[in-house]
Amino acid sequence: MADADPSDGLLRLENLITNDLHTRIDPMNRASMIGWGLFFTVAHQVRAVLALHTASACGAAAPNRRSALEHAITLRWCVDQGDRIGDIYNRKLRNDQIQLANALRADGTKDRYNEAYQVLTDTVKTVNETIAADPNERLAKIEHLMQGYGLDKERTFYQVDSRFVHPTLTGAQMYFKDDGEAFHVSQMPIHEEIVACHLYCLWILHVAMLAFNEVLDGKPWSSQLEEVAKEYGFATTLPQWQGSEALNAEGSRSDAK
């Protein structure tokens, strides 16, 4: 990547997110509305990473980096999947509600939380009756999306960053080391920045904006995003789907069971 200051690039991208941005989305288009939520989740996580950097707590930003990456990749899928993504996520919600309902029954608290339990069962019933099963439902898992888009480098980064999100020896060793002569412990991470915070934030925000621009009326960010990409060595185009599933193909749905 180029030696240009990532802080400058971040400012340029942030200036594109204007207060009237909502006028460029179609409230009747599910991909546009879901994309809005996915994009601003990325933007929110970027702010969190930068805030932790300012507080000298970069080591605590791994969950935010991972979440930003998940949402950016899902946003790219949302653009390809189109209106159909709403049904896929409602089917995913159905599965989550089934697990929650089962948990309430298993621990004997169904009657205590009867109102919430009824909401769970009503949701499952409604989805079962109105939304057909979809072969693309498995793509709601981020690992399948990364594989389908051929994002091998991003997948490796995601797996490595996960070691700092979940309890692992890799994460624990950020606070101690053995140099062969003595065993050293630290109350702060040994490495201040595992990932360069500003450069990462610039990259992931650019990735998300490149995708979100596709569902904005008139694609208003195109020229500015291309300029930033060339200046910082980022991709100028979105990754293309390489998986076996046919995205946004209405005829490939199966009947609900």
Side-chain angles (χ1 to χ4, degrees):
M1 295 188 181
D3 294 329
D5 184 359
S7 296
D8 176 66
L10 272 170
L11 182 60
R12 288 156 60 186
L13 292 186
E14 290 166 359
N15 285 340
L16 296 177
I17 308 173
T18 55
N19 291 332
D20 64 348
L21 192 62
H22 65 279
T23 63
R24 290 188 174 272
I25 63 169
D26 180 2
M28 302 304 294
N29 183 302
R30 290 166 114 186
S32 180
M33 293 305 300
I34 294 171
W36 177 277
L38 293 170
F39 172 71
F40 278 99
T41 297
V42 176
H44 191 66
Q45 295 295 348
V46 163
R47 287 193 291 270
V49 172
L50 295 175
L52 288 168
H53 177 86
T54 300
S56 299
C58 303
N64 306 103
R65 290 194 304 268
R66 202 177 76 142
S67 178
L69 180 59
E70 286 180 334
H71 282 80
I73 294 172
T74 303
L75 176 58
R76 197 282 167 263
W77 174 50
C78 178
V79 172
D80 271 351
Q81 194 71 82
D83 186 71
R84 184 174 168 189
I85 195 170
D87 285 348
I88 291 173
Y89 270 105
N90 275 319
R91 291 281 300 181
K92 184 178 186 300
L93 174 63
R94 163 194 174 274
N95 296 335
D96 293 342
Q97 302 293 65
I98 288 174
Q99 292 181 30
L100 288 172
N102 289 341
L104 289 177
R105 287 198 300 270
D107 67 9
T109 56
K110 177 176 76 71
D111 293 336
R112 184 188 308 172
Y113 302 109
N114 184 62
E115 185 175 346
Y117 180 81
Q118 193 60 48
V119 170
L120 297 177
T121 56
D122 288 347
T123 300
V124 173
K125 182 175 184 292
T126 299
V127 173
N128 282 343
E129 293 175 349
T130 60
I131 303 176
D134 192 305
N136 284 4
E137 287 177 29
R138 77 177 195 92
L139 300 179
K141 292 187 177 181
I142 192 65
E143 293 85 355
H144 295 158
L145 280 184
M146 289 188 286
Q147 183 178 15
Y149 279 109
L151 301 175
D152 294 336
K153 292 182 180 179
E154 287 82 355
R155 189 178 183 186
T156 298
F157 177 82
Y158 181 83
Q159 291 171 335
V160 171
D161 225 9
S162 294
R163 297 183 182 182
F164 301 101
V165 175
H166 305 296
T168 64
L169 185 58
T170 304
Q173 285 182 316
M174 287 294 290
Y175 295 86
F176 63 83
K177 67 178 180 180
D178 183 357
D179 63 7
E181 297 183 359
F183 191 78
H184 306 271
V185 296
S186 172
Q187 294 186 11
M188 292 291 290
I190 293 171
H191 302 289
E192 184 175 343
E193 271 190 320
I194 304 171
V195 176
C197 293
H198 285 81
L199 186 57
Y200 177 84
C201 287
L202 174 61
W203 170 72
I204 199 65
L205 186 59
H206 182 271
V207 167
M209 293 179 76
L210 200 62
F212 191 47
N213 187 56
E214 294 295 311
V215 296
L216 293 177
D217 182 38
K219 301 181 181 180
W221 297 337
S222 297
S223 59
Q224 296 96 327
L225 291 176
E226 186 172 355
E227 289 176 5
V228 169
K230 290 180 178 178
E231 186 171 344
Y232 290 89
F234 298 155
T236 57
T237 59
L238 291 168
Q240 298 303 303
W241 182 251
Q242 304 169 27
S244 59
E245 293 87 351
L247 301 185
N248 203 15
E250 296 300 323
S252 67
R253 296 186 182 187
S254 62
D255 293 332
K257 296 181 179 179

